[in-house]
Amino acid sequence: MQVVYSPRHLLHDPSTEIEASTSHSPYEHTGRAETIKATLSADEQFRFREPSDHGVAPITAVHDEGLVNFLSVAWAEYQREVGERREVVPDIFFRRELRNQMGAASEPSAVSARLGWWCFETTTPLTQGSYEAARAAVDTALTATDVVLAGERVSYGLCRPPGHHATRDLYGGYCFFNNAAIAAHDIVSRTGGKVTVLDVDYHHGNGTQEIFYDRDDVQYVSLHGDPQRAYPYFTGYADETGSGRGRGATFNVPLAKRTQDDAYLAALADCCDEISAFGPSAVVVSLGLDTFITDPIADLALSTQGFARSGALVAQLGLPTVVLQEGGYDVEALGRNVHAWLTGFVGAV
Ligand code: SP5
Ligand code: ZN
């Protein structure tokens, strides 16, 4: 299997995360991608390559150009306007209700205001190299897509930072650009075929869902911790099924605390039935391993063997598959869990 990896992910190197009313070392850090790289490198069936530059056009095909432009200048602008900081986090968020009865808002010019305009939460600090790393993650996803469109059955893009929380015009949830959505849209625009994004990260991929919510050419299917108790809280409910032409092309399965392998695999089998009924020509998997039993920020209870079974079940769809890295924060187990999922897939082909 081809693995796409870029050392440029190291340029996104935050030292803090503001979460649960504390400032602590970040769950999403460089060591995550490095441990996955080390584990897969030790198995000769994984062949590594670096991504090629795909430019900005595939990004602005799914994201607001304003978000891309902002991220490209925000860190430097903050250093000039506010002061020298290692990393930059919003201290205000725009909410529509601030202007009730006062007409629409528009983007202000102050960088502090612009942060709150383009970001939705506090756990995604911008560092000096974050934009370059986020661009590399997109190139990683698009290069993995190229591998599959060239005829390989499956490829793996070791994307970092992850992507599925980034909406058309907001970043957050450790995500800047929505790598999976960009890849899915790229497949549709290059092949004309329908695509499914299957999201197995613990967290609902609110960004991917939003980007495709009204479209009938990209299906979004997700299993995740019930948003009644789990981040991102405001999306991922079972009654969110799409709108307009996209009605019926979104499928959410909220899961109970401590869900184990057998129950998870049964839910995943239902998802695979939905995918087969949609009839896509390719699948993009948002692969999060934060469903693992000892993940520090989640509460499901999958085992490493459960990941192997998940990969095998997805392979049984019989479709060209681009697997892209999302979350997974038990770093000690992360490499072997990714390895289990991918070898589970290959073993079932
Ligand atoms: C890509 C991805 O997995 N993003 C996840 C972002 C989640 N960030 C906030 C998590 C809040 C978790 N709070 C639980 C505290 C346990 N100590
Ligand atoms: Zn996650």
Side-chain angles (χ1 to χ4, degrees):
M1 184 185 310
Q2 293 266 6
V3 174
V4 186
Y5 164 87
S6 169
R8 285 194 290 157
H9 84 85
L10 295 164
L11 295 168
H12 176 57
D13 186 20
S15 64
T16 58
E17 167 178 334
I18 301 171
E19 182 260 343
S21 307
T22 72
S23 180
H24 49 74
S25 59
Y27 292 106
E28 202 299 294
H29 59 76
T30 57
R32 297 179 55 250
E34 292 303 289
T35 194
I36 297 169
K37 179 194 177 216
T39 306
L40 298 184
S41 299
D43 180 342
E44 62 187 14
Q45 73 175 298
F46 294 99
R47 296 189 310 279
F48 278 69
R49 63 149 80 179
E50 288 204 21
S52 53
D53 182 6
H54 286 66
V56 81
I59 304 179
T60 54
V62 311
H63 285 292
D64 191 319
E65 229 175 304
L67 173 66
V68 183
N69 292 337
F70 175 70
L71 288 173
S72 73
V73 299
W75 188 87
E77 222 170 82
Y78 200 92
Q79 309 303 304
R80 280 197 305 274
E81 275 186 39
V82 181
E84 287 188 18
R85 303 286 188 273
R86 189 180 182 282
E87 53 212 48
V88 163
V89 185
D91 48 30
I92 187 167
F93 295 102
F94 172 64
R95 299 199 49 178
R96 214 172 48 248
E97 293 76 9
L98 276 171
R99 291 194 51 85
N100 272 344
Q101 310 175 70
M102 302 167 209
S106 56
E107 184 185 0
S109 56
V111 68
S112 294
R114 273 148 62 72
L115 278 163
W117 182 260
W118 294 113
C119 180
F120 67 87
E121 53 99 87
T122 63
T123 72
T124 316
L126 260 170
T127 65
Q128 184 167 23
S130 295
Y131 176 72
E132 193 177 338
R135 287 288 306 268
V138 171
D139 283 330
T140 295
L142 290 169
T143 303
T145 299
D146 292 339
V147 169
V148 163
L149 292 185
E152 297 273 321
R153 171 66 199 282
V154 62
S155 67
Y156 170 66
L158 210 177
C159 297
R160 181 183 174 274
H164 73 155
H165 294 304
T167 71
R168 166 164 287 279
D169 42 33
L170 293 171
Y171 75 94
Y174 312 151
C175 306
F176 297 97
F177 298 132
N178 196 315
N179 308 308
I182 293 165
H185 180 83
D186 188 58
I187 297 171
V188 170
S189 62
R190 289 166 62 188
T191 68
K194 296 193 288 184
V195 175
T196 294
V197 179
L198 170 62
D199 190 332
V200 298
D201 187 278
Y202 170 80
H203 304 96
H204 180 244
N206 61 289
T208 315
Q209 172 168 300
E210 184 251 1
I211 287 165
F212 298 120
Y213 206 60
D214 61 357
R215 284 173 57 166
D216 60 2
D217 52 354
V218 180
Q219 179 191 39
Y220 179 70
V221 176
S222 180
L223 310 93
H224 46 264
D226 189 331
Q228 285 288 353
R229 67 170 196 285
Y231 184 98
Y233 305 110
F234 304 117
T235 65
Y237 295 91
D239 64 358
E240 297 161 15
T241 56
S243 66
R245 299 171 64 94
R247 196 167 296 279
T250 293
F251 186 66
N252 284 309
V253 185
L255 297 168
K257 240 181 209 182
R258 291 184 282 278
T259 296
Q260 298 185 10
D261 292 346
D262 288 346
Y264 187 92
L265 269 290
L268 183 59
D270 292 343
C271 289
C272 289
D273 291 342
E274 288 289 319
I275 295 170
S276 296
F278 182 73
S281 62
V283 177
V284 175
V285 178
S286 272
L287 179 63
L289 295 306
D290 38 12
T291 51
F292 191 54
I293 184 161
T294 50
D295 193 277
I297 67 169
D299 61 10
L300 298 191
L302 270 65
S303 71
T304 302
Q305 186 55 33
F307 291 127
R309 292 167 65 193
S310 294
L313 194 54
V314 174
Q316 281 159 22
L317 288 167
L319 292 165
T321 304
V322 181
V323 183
L324 301 177
Q325 186 61 43
E326 300 279 2
Y329 308 98
D330 183 343
V331 177
E332 193 275 322
L334 185 56
R336 63 177 177 277
N337 286 340
V338 171
H339 185 268
W341 201 98
L342 295 174
T343 54
F345 186 105
V346 169
V349 169

